Each structure stands twice: as C-alpha cells, then as structure tokens.
Amino acid sequence: MVGAGFGGLGAARWLAQKPGIEVTLVDKRNHHLFQALLYQVASAGLNPSEIASPVRGLFRNYRNVRVIMAELTGLDAVRKIANLDGEGGLEVAYDALILSLGGETNYFGHPEWAQFAPGLKSIEQALWLRGHVLEAFEKAEKCRDEQERRRLMTIAVIGAGPTGVELSGAFAELRRHVLRWDFRDIHPELARVVLIEGGPRVLAAFPPDLSEAARRDLEGLGVEVRTGERVQEIGQGYVLTDKGRLEAHTLVWAAGVGGHPLAERLGLPTLAGGRVPVQPDLSVAGLDGVFCIGDMCFCAGADGKPLPGMAPVAMQQGPVAAANALAFLQGRPTQPFRYEDPGIMATVGRTKGVAVLGKRHISGTAGWFTWLWHHLLRIVDFQNRALVSLRWGWAYISWKWGVRLIHRGAGETQEIKES
Amino acid sequence: MVGAGFGGLGAARWLAQKPGIEVTLVDKRNHHLFQALLYQVASAGLNPSEIASPVRGLFRNYRNVRVIMAELTGLDAVRKIANLDGEGGLEVAYDALILSLGGETNYFGHPEWAQFAPGLKSIEQALWLRGHVLEAFEKAEKCRDEQERRRLMTIAVIGAGPTGVELSGAFAELRRHVLRWDFRDIHPELARVVLIEGGPRVLAAFPPDLSEAARRDLEGLGVEVRTGERVQEIGQGYVLTDKGRLEAHTLVWAAGVGGHPLAERLGLPTLAGGRVPVQPDLSVAGLDGVFCIGDMCFCAGADGKPLPGMAPVAMQQGPVAAANALAFLQGRPTQPFRYEDPGIMATVGRTKGVAVLGKRHISGTAGWFTWLWHHLLRIVDFQNRALVSLRWGWAYISWKWGVRLIHRGAGETQEIKES
C-alpha cells in the first residue's frame, strides 16, 4: 500500500480489519493531508496541523498495520518487491500492491512556469503562499513607488476550478475584511485579486447556472473574473495572456493536476496527462496484483469519460481496491468499481457556495452550508474537526484570522517542495 | 520603537494611549512571539500561531500606531534618524527611540556550534527541531543497524535553565506517552533524552530545594540529568564533554542567551555578552533620547546584579521606558526603573513544576498549576489563550499531541534563521 491520501487510507483501513492480513503503508510524508482545504492555510485561515493528521496516529490501534515514511523509488512487479528510498534503502516484498500516490500540478508542457506560479498541493506551498502574500502587503506599506505598490498588491490566480475559485474568494475576503484595518499607508481592500480562466466559464465541471452564481458571488467579493483568457507566458511577477500583460507579485497556478511523475519512472503504463490506466477492477493490466487508485489513475466512469481527480472518487476506490486485492490473494474473482456521484461543491468566500447534489442545484448560503457540512465530515480525526469548527466560528464572528504569520520569509519559489 | 517582544509591545501600548503621540513600531517579524512556549512548538504540542500574534492585529484599533515590518540597520543618534532595511531602505526620523530587540543564542565563543546544536529562539528553529526529532524516529523505524538506531533515538539538550529543563521534559513525555504506540519496530519510549549542564545543579537561578525537586521530576520522566559536565566540542551528531563522547542525532543548545548582535553594529556601547548597559532610567548614556530594554540591555537590579533576560523584566521595563521617553520629550525629569520580582517558575512535563513566589517555594503539581496560570495569562490575545487551553486540555486527557507534522523535511541546520 503506497500513499496515505484518501484512497490509500481507505484501502488500508478496510484491510486492517481483515484477520491475518499484514498491511504496510508507505508514504513519503508523515501526515495525511486534506488537500481541498489547503487554500485555507494559504489564506491564513487555518493551521497546517488542522488539515493534516499524522498517519501513525491514525493506525495506532491497528497492530497489523506498519507505517513507513519513505519514498517509493522502484518496483519489481515480477519478483514482487518495492524499493524504498533508492539505493541502500529498504526492499519490501508484497503479495498485492495498491498504488495511491496522488497527482501533481500540471503545467501543460511548461514546467518552467512552476518557479513563478507555484501550485497548491502541499503544506510547504500553502505556507509559502501565505508568507508571500502577507509579506507583499508589508512591502507595499513601506513602498513609495505607486506602480510598484500596485504590483505588490495584485494577486493573480490562474485556473477557475474549485481550487482557483476558493483561493481567490479567500484572498478577496482576507484583504477586504481582515487586513483592511491593519495598515496605515496602503488600503489592502483595494488590492486586486484576478482570476484568469482559459475556458468560457468558472467551475466548468458544474452546471452553467451554478457557474453563473459562483461568478456573481466572486465579483461581489471584488474578484476580477476573466474567462476566455489564455495564458501565453509566465515570468517573475507577471503573466502574459492573449488579452495583455498583468503585473502581479503573487501568481498561483490552479489550472491543472495530472498524474504522478513517479508512475512513468516506475515503468507503469501512462496515458496523456501522466495517469495510469486501470481495468474496471482498478488493477493495472500486465502487473500481477498491482492496483492503482485516486488522482494518479485514469479510471473510466459509467459514461466512458474519465473520473475527475477528487477526494470522493479516491475515497470510494480505496475499499474496492482493498477488497479486490484480498480477492486476488485468495484466488476469488474481483469486482468492477462503480462510482456513485455524491455531488460536487465549491465555496465562494465565507458565506456563499455552489453544490450539485443529485439533481439539485444549490447556490448562495445554502450552498455554503452544504459545502461546510461535507468538508467538516471529511476531516479524519475528531480533534481537528473540533478545532476547525471553533476556528471558523471565531473567524466568522470576529473577522480576525489568527494564522497571519510570516515565517521562513520570502523564500524563492524554487525551494518549495510540491511532494 | 524597535522590537515587538514583551518590552516593545508594553512600551508601544503605553504610548499609544497618550494623545498627540505618534508611535512607529518596527520589527523584522510580523508577529509577537511568546518565546517561553517555543519548546511546546518544538515538542509538537502547539502550533506556531498559538504562541504568536500578528503585530498589526494587536494595534489595529490604535490609529496613532504605525507598524513597519523591517530590519533596523543603522542609527544616526545625532540627526535622530533610524535606517531600515539597509541601503535604499526607509529612513525614519524619531524624537525618542526605545530599542527592544531581544537577545540571541550565545555559544560563548564557539559560533561554529550553532550549525550542529541550534538554539530555540524563533518559530523556524522550533519547527526545524520538531521535524528533525520526528524524522529521526521515522529513520530509526527503517534502520537495520542497532548502533545507528540508538544514535537516531538520542536527544541531547545542553544547558539546564528553564528552556533546557522544559524542553527535555517535553521530549521525554513525547517519546513515552505519544510516540510509544505509533511504531512497530522501535520502542520510542526507550529513546534517550540527555540533559547536560556545566554547573552543579539544574535551574541554577532557583533555590537548591527546587533544583532538587526539578531534577527528581525529570528523572521520573526518564531524562538522564548530567550536571557538572562541561561541553568541550560539538560536531555533526555528537557532543564531547569532559566526561566522554555522546552520539546524539538531535542536539539543542539551551545554555546561554546574550545581547543582540545588532547592538554592536549600530555603534551602541556593549558589555561582555553583548548587552547594552543602561542608566537607572533605562536610557543609553551618550545617546540623546535613546532607551534600551529587555534581553538586549544590561540593567542592574537593586542588589547590583544584572537582571535576568526574562519576560517579566521586559514587561515591567516597557511602560517605564515609555514614560521616561515621554518625560524626555516634554523636558520633565525621568524616573529610575525598579524591578519587582514576580517570582520565577519552570515546568517539568505535563504535571510537575517549580516556582518561587515571594518567599514561597512551590514544587510538584502545585508548581505546575502556578506555571500554567501565569503563562496562559501572558498570551497576548484572547483567541490564542482559548485555543491553547483547549489544546492542552485535550492533550492532557488523550495523550494525542496534534502537531506531529514533518514539513520542509530535514533541512540542514545552517538554513535555520534565528532572528
């Protein structure tokens, strides 16, 4: 079992309850991370520890689960051995293997943009972004050059999927409600938050009426929403699109997530976008006893279209892959995976949201409550659920977001580890 | 006003309430930090944001206070101008100046030890230490070499003042109660925590009976307390003393704090240890309208001995320096500073502590409650006070310390910023 995201955790938990099964869970991080809330860390609303839980703690009471913090570096599917930590590292023999490594930010052929416009997939990136934005306001307060001040106070988010929408909404509120009262020379509430999207509408995965509602809510928060605008070039502090050049001190790439780069290095089959194609039972064709789930896999839904890289997909795949791995070990036939769409949702600031549940389209405050409820439930441990509720409740009332710390200063974006 | 520690904050608050006074508060950090609780961040008990508060937030409602995040780099005491951020930076003219920059870890002539045994003065250092210790256990779990395993699982804390005692107690509890259940191959509860002190007893500033109580409590937690042992050399993963060589993956220097290195660079007078001598009214002799308080100053107490570098001293000096600065501006005579000793206290693990309040010596559980009460009161904002109470309450009941995250991996110690 490799990867402690929603997919890997679910699979490990399912198997941990089967007598006689020994589970080894490998992850290069020591924590499970709720990536969908990373934007809250980046916008100073939450602490990293409130959306991340130590993996060992989650399996403390399962004596048949062994957790290893290590990086998968090699795979011998014939001898059934996984290599960890490269040369001189561990060799772990397996009977069945479930790969759930997640995805990585995809720059669509422009990896050099990563240094100027990082993605938002890890705690490091979120903390960097938080420090970078807060420090930009500090610099602007000291700055005497009006043009430079405007550049420092401009945030451009590229890509209007859920992450881009939620992040730009959170930054818009941060500047308008939280930072507004903190400065004397500058007016943070006038800072620009620009959301750039190549497609014709925000939240393309949602029905058009909800895209429209989300756009309205974003504009209500003062976000400049620019759809149908394609990025041509990104450099230090600017983005060039087919509509012109935008000077922005802070650039965030939320335009795409692809498969995991390790898939190719391990010799797994991959499709365009780097995802690993799986068979209906989530196994990888040609590799005996290897299953692949979550963002790293390419899994066709009932309509033949690939399932999106979202937590609910991985959460449903985990137990199915685990059951199929057990069936494989016991020589029983495996079952195909069928995705049951629990709906999709996104939040726009602290009071608005959009959600699709079955045939119902929900927007506005009701959409926000729907989002809140589902996301609180997905936080894996009780203490964090309580802390997040408390923090959100307090921030809701007071508009004092507590986590406005700059530390590690303004490191170069190159330094930030994504994974 | 430079520095947003307890001294600078107190002075700024006092002045902020005087009509007609314009206060500029400069700090190179954007947050006030409660350094005495950093050991809790290092031992995975608290989040950085729970012991740090954004400075701007604290002065949000004082319109006559301007906060600038910048580094003081030059001082022209004749023209009364402070230079910020070096060449090309800001120049700030002042009528009176209160310097409260704090202290820095003092290696007594061995600055090269800093890279092997960092101190504990900043959030970065605390996060590094947390990640370093947690990662050492992860490595030990993977390690097949018994000797290397023992080295990985050895933590040496050098210096048995309050920081050293509190840190080693917290690590002892972390390994025995929190990490104990998390691993399969290693036994974290057998990890060694060694506290090395050159003097004859721990907590030298306390009366001998309390030193003895603290030593007993530490040993009860399984800390190896070695007094009268002098450090001769520190290198990568080992410390050499007059009693022999100790192999320890984690080394922490808690043996000394000196004045601020900037004092000398600014051309201020300094004594041995780098502290700035002040006159009875906290002003610096020869510099018109300049006052100096907190850990960076050398201030004689009633008995002629220098006051220790502790929060209560800075907290009492702040308002006095502020009042004297105002008196100076108005041409009135200044008042001498008189320290009223509120007592000293230190905690040993989660249930024991020692305290001196007036003539009373308190130890054991009562000492712990005394410590708890005083430290909660000193947390500057209400939200953090509530969060810390909640987190401590939960950790007390469940022995699940929530902040066991490793991020930014095992960076080299050289990278860590102290200030």
Side-chain angles (χ1 to χ4, degrees):
Chain A
M1 182 89 45
V2 185
F6 281 114
L9 277 194
R13 276 184 174 158
W14 194 94
L15 284 169
Q17 281 149 23
K18 301 292 152 189
I21 298 286
E22 292 287 322
V23 180
T24 301
L25 179 59
V26 177
D27 197 293
K28 70 179 151 188
R29 302 293 189 141
N30 82 329
H31 53 266
H32 162 76
L33 176 67
F34 192 178
Q35 288 185 341
L37 292 182
L38 268 180
Y39 84 93
Q40 288 260 344
V41 174
S43 55
L46 290 178
N47 269 305
S49 76
E50 286 150 8
I51 61 163
S53 306
V55 179
R56 292 191 183 281
L58 297 174
F59 290 98
R60 186 180 273 201
N61 298 323
Y62 296 97
R63 302 307 293 184
N64 57 334
V65 178
R66 174 179 303 274
V67 176
I68 300 180
M69 180 176 149
E71 193 165 2
L72 179 67
T73 47
L75 189 59
D76 184 335
V78 178
R79 288 169 56 219
K80 295 202 162 185
I81 287 173
N83 278 84
L84 308 182
D85 289 341
E87 236 174 296
L90 283 183
E91 293 203 335
V92 178
Y94 64 83
D95 298 311
L97 179 68
I98 300 175
L99 294 171
S100 181
L101 299 170
E104 278 210 348
T105 306
N106 187 347
Y107 288 88
F108 304 115
H110 290 279
E112 73 278 10
W113 292 353
Q115 59 187 301
F116 308 118
L120 193 58
K121 298 285 289 176
S122 71
I123 288 180
E124 282 82 358
Q125 288 178 324
L127 289 179
W128 175 84
L129 187 53
R130 181 180 85 186
H132 188 73
V133 168
L134 293 176
E135 197 159 20
F137 283 100
E138 297 289 344
K139 284 181 181 161
E141 175 89 347
K142 291 188 280 185
C143 182
R144 297 277 159 268
D145 174 16
E146 199 45 49
Q147 199 175 344
E148 173 66 5
R149 255 193 189 180
R150 272 203 300 271
R151 196 188 68 81
L152 284 167
M153 289 168 62
T154 302
I155 299 168
V157 178
I158 300 155
T163 300
V165 166
E166 291 173 351
L167 190 61
S168 51
F171 278 135
E173 289 197 329
L174 179 72
R175 70 166 178 15
R176 184 179 281 186
H177 296 288
V178 183
L179 297 180
R180 178 175 193 167
W181 315 105
D182 281 359
F183 293 83
R184 299 293 176 262
D185 279 353
I186 60 169
H187 298 280
E189 69 272 25
L190 302 180
R192 290 174 74 188
V193 180
V194 186
L195 179 62
I196 299 172
E197 165 63 42
R201 56 190 176 94
V202 303
L203 297 175
F206 287 66
D209 59 320
L210 292 186
S211 289
E212 202 38 58
R215 186 191 184 109
R216 236 183 2 252
D217 292 339
L218 282 170
E219 289 174 343
L221 292 173
V223 176
E224 296 173 38
V225 183
R226 299 187 185 175
T227 48
E229 184 163 342
R230 298 191 159 272
V231 171
Q232 293 174 333
E233 192 187 313
I234 295 178
Q236 185 69 51
Y238 73 89
V239 51
L240 190 70
T241 71
D242 52 3
K243 303 275 171 65
R245 183 182 163 109
L246 175 69
E247 304 283 336
H249 184 68
T250 302
L251 296 164
V252 188
W253 184 265
V257 175
H260 200 284
L262 204 55
E264 220 164 299
R265 269 181 270 149
L266 291 174
L268 298 171
T270 52
L271 300 174
R275 290 201 154 93
V276 177
V278 292
Q279 306 194 71
D281 67 352
L282 302 174
S283 65
V284 182
L287 300 180
D288 199 37
V290 177
F291 298 81
C292 183
I293 57 178
D295 289 9
M296 84 175 288
C297 85
F298 181 99
C299 177
D303 56 359
K305 283 196 281 189
L307 295 175
M310 292 189 337
V313 175
M315 289 168 94
Q316 291 181 30
Q317 286 174 332
V320 174
N324 282 345
L326 187 63
F328 166 81
L329 293 179
Q330 299 175 337
R332 291 184 287 111
T334 56
Q335 303 295 324
F337 170 70
R338 272 194 206 88
Y339 182 56
E340 286 184 36
D341 191 349
I344 46 176
M345 55 199 76
T347 178
V348 185
R350 290 264 153 163
T351 52
K352 301 288 164 101
V354 292
V356 182
L357 293 181
K359 289 195 189 309
R360 296 175 58 203
H361 296 184
I362 307 170
S363 64
T365 311
W368 180 74
F369 273 112
T370 309
W371 178 89
L372 185 68
W373 175 246
H374 280 81
H375 282 72
L376 275 179
L377 279 186
R378 274 185 212 151
I379 295 177
V380 292
D381 68 286
F382 171 77
Q383 186 189 10
N384 275 344
R385 215 176 285 164
L387 277 170
V388 170
S389 310
L390 188 86
R391 213 176 253 287
W392 281 351
W394 175 260
Y396 194 89
I397 299 164
S398 73
W399 283 113
K400 283 189 186 167
W401 298 2
V403 201
R404 304 203 300 285
L405 300 186
I406 303 174
H407 51 83
R408 293 262 180 185
E412 294 304 304
T413 54
Q414 284 92 330
E415 282 178 20
I416 319 162
K417 275 202 209 163
E418 167 140 304
S419 52
Chain B
M1 184 87 43
V2 184
F6 281 114
L9 277 195
R13 278 186 173 154
W14 193 93
L15 285 168
Q17 281 150 23
K18 301 292 150 188
I21 298 287
E22 292 287 322
V23 180
T24 301
L25 179 59
V26 176
D27 197 293
K28 70 179 151 188
R29 302 293 187 141
N30 81 328
H31 52 266
H32 163 76
L33 175 66
F34 192 177
Q35 288 185 341
L37 292 181
L38 268 179
Y39 84 94
Q40 288 260 344
V41 174
S43 55
L46 291 177
N47 269 304
S49 75
E50 286 150 10
I51 61 163
S53 306
V55 180
R56 292 191 183 283
L58 297 174
F59 290 97
R60 188 179 271 200
N61 299 323
Y62 295 97
R63 303 307 292 183
N64 57 334
V65 178
R66 175 180 302 276
V67 176
I68 300 180
M69 180 176 147
E71 194 167 359
L72 178 67
T73 46
L75 187 58
D76 183 336
V78 178
R79 289 168 56 220
K80 294 201 161 186
I81 287 173
N83 279 85
L84 307 182
D85 289 342
E87 237 175 295
L90 282 184
E91 294 202 337
V92 178
Y94 64 84
D95 297 310
L97 179 68
I98 299 175
L99 294 171
S100 179
L101 298 169
E104 277 210 349
T105 306
N106 187 349
Y107 288 88
F108 304 114
H110 290 281
E112 74 279 9
W113 292 353
Q115 57 185 303
F116 308 118
L120 193 59
K121 298 284 290 175
S122 70
I123 289 180
E124 282 82 359
Q125 287 178 323
L127 289 178
W128 174 84
L129 187 54
R130 182 180 85 188
H132 188 73
V133 168
L134 293 175
E135 197 160 21
F137 284 100
E138 297 290 344
K139 283 181 182 161
E141 174 88 347
K142 290 189 281 185
C143 182
R144 297 278 159 269
D145 174 16
E146 198 47 46
Q147 199 176 346
E148 172 66 4
R149 257 195 188 178
R150 271 203 300 272
R151 197 189 68 82
L152 284 167
M153 288 168 63
T154 301
I155 299 168
V157 178
I158 300 155
T163 300
V165 166
E166 291 173 350
L167 189 61
S168 52
F171 278 135
E173 290 197 329
L174 178 72
R175 72 169 178 11
R176 183 178 281 187
H177 296 290
V178 183
L179 296 181
R180 177 174 194 168
W181 315 106
D182 281 359
F183 292 83
R184 298 295 176 263
D185 279 352
I186 59 168
H187 298 281
E189 69 273 23
L190 301 181
R192 290 174 74 189
V193 180
V194 185
L195 179 62
I196 300 172
E197 165 63 40
R201 56 190 178 97
V202 303
L203 298 176
F206 288 66
D209 60 319
L210 292 185
S211 287
E212 203 36 58
R215 187 192 183 109
R216 237 182 1 253
D217 293 340
L218 282 169
E219 288 174 343
L221 292 172
V223 176
E224 296 172 39
V225 182
R226 299 190 188 172
T227 47
E229 185 163 339
R230 298 193 159 271
V231 172
Q232 293 174 334
E233 192 186 315
I234 296 178
Q236 185 68 53
Y238 74 89
V239 52
L240 190 69
T241 71
D242 50 4
K243 303 277 172 66
R245 184 182 162 110
L246 177 69
E247 303 284 335
H249 185 67
T250 303
L251 296 165
V252 188
W253 184 265
V257 175
H260 200 284
L262 204 55
E264 220 164 300
R265 269 181 270 149
L266 291 174
L268 298 172
T270 53
L271 301 175
R275 292 202 154 93
V276 178
V278 293
Q279 308 194 69
D281 67 351
L282 302 173
S283 65
V284 181
L287 299 179
D288 200 36
V290 177
F291 298 81
C292 183
I293 57 177
D295 289 7
M296 83 176 289
C297 85
F298 181 99
C299 178
D303 56 359
K305 282 197 281 188
L307 294 174
M310 294 189 337
V313 175
M315 290 169 95
Q316 291 182 29
Q317 286 174 331
V320 174
N324 282 344
L326 188 61
F328 166 81
L329 294 178
Q330 298 174 339
R332 290 186 287 110
T334 55
Q335 303 294 325
F337 170 69
R338 270 193 206 89
Y339 181 56
E340 284 184 36
D341 190 350
I344 48 177
M345 55 199 77
T347 177
V348 184
R350 290 264 152 164
T351 52
K352 302 286 163 101
V354 291
V356 181
L357 293 182
K359 291 197 187 305
R360 296 176 55 203
H361 296 182
I362 307 169
S363 64
T365 310
W368 180 74
F369 273 112
T370 310
W371 179 90
L372 186 69
W373 174 248
H374 279 82
H375 283 73
L376 276 179
L377 279 186
R378 275 184 211 153
I379 295 177
V380 292
D381 68 285
F382 171 77
Q383 187 188 8
N384 276 344
R385 215 176 286 164
L387 277 170
V388 170
S389 310
L390 189 84
R391 210 177 255 288
W392 281 351
W394 174 261
Y396 195 89
I397 299 164
S398 73
W399 284 112
K400 284 190 186 168
W401 298 1
V403 200
R404 303 203 300 284
L405 301 185
I406 302 174
H407 50 82
R408 292 262 181 183
E412 293 305 304
T413 55
Q414 286 92 330
E415 282 179 18
I416 320 161
K417 276 199 209 165
E418 167 140 305
S419 51

